[in-house]
Amino acid sequence: MFSAIGRIFRTPDLRRKIAFTLGILVLYRFGAHVPTPFVNFPNVQSCLQQSGSTEGLLSLVNLFSGGALLQLSIFALGVMPYITASIIVQLLRVVIPHFETLYKEGQSGQSTLTQYTRYLTIALALLQSTTLVTVARSGQLFGVTGIPECDTLLTNDAWWAQLLMIITMTAGTGLIMWFAELVTERGVGNGMSILIFTSIAATFPAAMWGIAVARGFETFLLVLAVGLVVVALVVFVEQSQRRIPVQYAKRMVGRRTYGGTNTYIPIKVNMAGVIPVIFASSLLYIPALIAQFNQTPGANGEVPGWVAWIQAYLTKGDHPLYMLVYFLLIVGFTYFYVAITFNPVEVADNMKKYGGFIPGIRAGRPTAEYLDYVLTRITLPGSIYLGLIALLPLIALATVGANANFPFGGASILIIVGVGLETVKQIDAQLQQRHYEGLLR
């Protein structure tokens, strides 16, 4: 293993790419700590320490920004606008035929879709930065009351000062997109994935130290041991796949023979990735958001009954009903997203067009039905796996007093493991181009 790492740094091209990637990551983390103009940074830090981490969608966005959101830095929005824009463009392929046509055109169509994603990212960044500045100005950013520092997060609340803050945060999102594209072109791995990886990994030390301080060193070691087991299980499931064998018949084109090969269709157990967890978190935050705007007491001095019910059962992650609804939403969204991203009819038509068939299954409609059958069966354990992993932070919140950004569970561990595996595979492939051995044997 150490000799393989040594080969990485002895390869000039690979060494240069890794150094460039690390340089971009340093700039990205530096920008996450640079406050936006007219932000009262001491008050923000004091309010953050007294209120702790929030739950719900705001916590998820703060996780993806590496803690920059609640610090109101120039990179406060992080990669969340780009992630949202990418998901929207991908879902629009089902609704808008033009998007599906562009997707099938190859590299030129993909470039057009990427450009649409960039424009949508800037639009979403404008919307989200406006919302963030408005919430910060009202003193409700941390969702707490009674803390004087949280009421004066801005040093100037004039309209031109707020406009400058919105422009700065939007420009920060554009700069993050540029960083990601630079890493993809000149660095190692997918740029946006690497930035997300860095943002989440940056929260690990603080989360683990918080557990050690609150529960003691023995609990810290226990959580660390459980975390290693969870990582090993996530790696195992993420690498698991069902391979459907495919054979291609031989055909003569002129004097050349094509086909006659055996291959397979890899169907992963977790085909949806982390998207269902994000969807479920976003949808589950909507009732809490509606209740937050209806907290005004009535004539008898009490809040409405439905608001009190939502605040009691659907806002705290340690409540069993919240966990159950969260789990069921993840299972449902897993089936929904897999049905959108994998089209058995299209795969069966492509196989039939090029003379491919599954042994024992007729080409055409029977092949599509067989693929749909296999996909439905393998998505069930994948959705349950996603639901259980997403519940780990909530279980840790109820047992060891960890916050909602518990490192060994939820979206964080899925992204960390997924991006880590893909990056190691890319480094291994580049090593094998220059040496007989890769990074892993």
Side-chain angles (χ1 to χ4, degrees), residues 83-317:
I83 294 175
T84 308
S86 301
I87 295 174
I88 291 175
V89 171
Q90 191 171 13
L91 294 179
L92 286 179
R93 285 171 39 200
V94 184
V95 181
I96 303 177
H98 176 63
F99 279 38
E100 184 67 21
T101 303
L102 289 175
Y103 179 76
K104 295 180 180 180
E105 285 182 358
Q107 186 174 0
S108 60
Q110 294 282 355
S111 300
T112 305
L113 287 178
T114 302
Q115 197 67 18
Y116 290 163
T117 305
R118 292 170 183 163
Y119 293 148
L120 185 57
T121 300
I122 297 300
L124 290 175
L126 281 171
L127 178 62
Q128 294 179 12
S129 59
T130 303
T131 305
L132 180 60
V133 171
T134 303
V135 174
R137 180 175 176 269
S138 65
Q140 296 294 323
L141 178 62
F142 296 90
V144 294
T145 57
I147 300 178
E149 290 84 358
C150 296
D151 295 332
T152 56
L153 298 178
L154 307 182
T155 58
N156 191 340
D157 58 354
W159 68 268
W160 56 269
Q162 297 181 47
L163 180 61
L164 181 59
M165 294 178 64
I166 293 171
I167 294 175
T168 302
M169 292 182 181
T170 305
T173 301
L175 189 60
I176 290 174
M177 277 198 303
W178 184 56
F179 282 169
E181 292 179 359
L182 286 179
V183 172
T184 303
E185 294 175 2
R186 302 174 56 184
V188 176
N190 181 276
M192 192 58 68
S193 300
I194 293 293
L195 293 184
I196 299 174
F197 177 95
T198 306
S199 299
I200 296 176
T203 63
F204 269 47
M208 295 302 296
W209 178 250
I211 294 175
V213 171
R215 294 288 180 169
F217 192 69
E218 294 78 6
T219 305
F220 169 78
L221 293 179
L222 177 62
V223 170
L224 189 61
V226 172
L228 293 178
V229 174
V230 170
V231 170
L233 293 176
V234 170
V235 170
F236 176 76
V237 177
E238 291 295 324
Q239 296 291 89
S240 302
Q241 56 184 226
R242 167 73 183 274
R243 296 181 176 182
I244 300 178
V246 178
Q247 296 181 0
Y248 285 91
K250 292 183 180 181
R251 54 195 178 96
M252 296 292 296
V253 179
R255 294 185 178 181
R256 295 185 178 182
T257 303
Y258 294 91
T261 58
N262 297 327
T263 183
Y264 59 86
I265 301 175
I267 299 182
K268 296 180 62 177
V269 174
N270 179 24
M271 289 190 63
V274 73
I275 302 300
V277 179
I278 299 176
F279 279 179
S281 301
S282 305
L283 188 62
L284 201 54
Y285 182 68
I286 293 177
L289 184 64
I290 296 175
Q292 184 177 356
F293 289 104
N294 292 272
Q295 292 182 356
T296 304
N300 55 358
E302 297 181 357
V303 297
W306 65 273
V307 174
W309 189 87
I310 290 177
Q311 291 177 343
Y313 298 106
L314 293 181
T315 57
K316 296 182 179 180

Side-chain angles (χ1 to χ4, degrees), residues 51-107:
S51 62
S53 179
T54 56
E55 300 178 10
L57 181 62
L58 192 62
S59 175
L60 184 66
V61 177
N62 188 55
L63 174 67
F64 282 174
S65 66
L69 175 72
L70 296 183
Q71 296 185 18
L72 296 176
S73 69
I74 59 176
F75 289 167
L77 301 180
V79 298
M80 218 37 202
Y82 184 85
I83 294 175
T84 308
S86 301
I87 295 174
I88 291 175
V89 171
Q90 191 171 13
L91 294 179
L92 286 179
R93 285 171 39 200
V94 184
V95 181
I96 303 177
H98 176 63
F99 279 38
E100 184 67 21
T101 303
L102 289 175
Y103 179 76
K104 295 180 180 180
E105 285 182 358
Q107 186 174 0

